[in-house]
Amino acid sequence: MSVVSRKEYIGVPRDRVENFNGNQLVYVGWDNHLLFASAFLLFVSPESTFRDLVKSNVVPLIAADPDAEKIDWDNVSWLKGNKPWAPAWDATLAENGVGHKSLVRFQTPSLNTICG
């Protein structure tokens, strides 16, 4: 069904980085772990280290998955967007190129979710 507007519609995006008082949104997903329907949306400072993002945000969120405690974080494969990526753990998100609304995914090939 088509829609007709009585006047010009001007959409105002509310999720611009300027609206988050120095913080940003970052999506983090665990590939092939179907206990989580989609990537997590995190509200973080771009000055947080990548290590802090994982340890303080991701680890508590994925704790419900039986595979979570088995993750060897030193051997995880990372993707930024859809491209392979090697994060610098002690560098900030900004230094790692993780910007507002970036998608960071990780893969644990030896751990294949509760659905196996």
Side-chain angles (χ1 to χ4, degrees):
M1 179 161 97
S2 63
V3 176
V4 177
S5 177
R6 292 178 178 223
K7 59 181 180 176
E8 182 182 359
Y9 174 77
I10 301 172
V12 179
R14 303 280 187 213
D15 62 351
R16 295 182 318 201
V17 71
E18 298 84 21
N19 296 335
F20 290 96
N21 301 315
N23 291 306
Q24 64 186 20
L25 301 176
V26 175
Y27 295 90
V28 179
W30 187 4
D31 286 1
N32 300 317
H33 277 72
L34 303 177
L35 186 61
F36 311 109
S38 62
F40 296 105
L41 176 59
L42 304 176
F43 179 71
V44 295
S45 167
E47 299 308 311
S48 299
T49 64
F50 189 77
R51 183 178 309 281
D52 189 48
L53 173 78
V54 172
K55 299 295 181 192
S56 299
N57 296 285
V58 176
V59 169
L61 286 169
I62 65 171
D65 191 299
D67 285 342
E69 61 188 31
K70 301 173 194 168
I71 296 175
D72 177 1
W73 290 102
D74 293 328
N75 291 312
V76 166
S77 298
W78 291 95
L79 296 102
K80 186 167 52 170
N82 290 319
K83 297 181 180 176
W85 173 62
W89 283 81
D90 293 314
T92 66
L93 297 177
E95 291 168 340
N96 270 299
V98 177
H100 183 59
K101 298 198 286 185
S102 289
L103 170 62
V104 175
R105 299 172 21 222
F106 64 98
Q107 300 171 337
T108 53
S110 63
L111 304 174
N112 293 316
T113 195
I114 57 177
C115 299

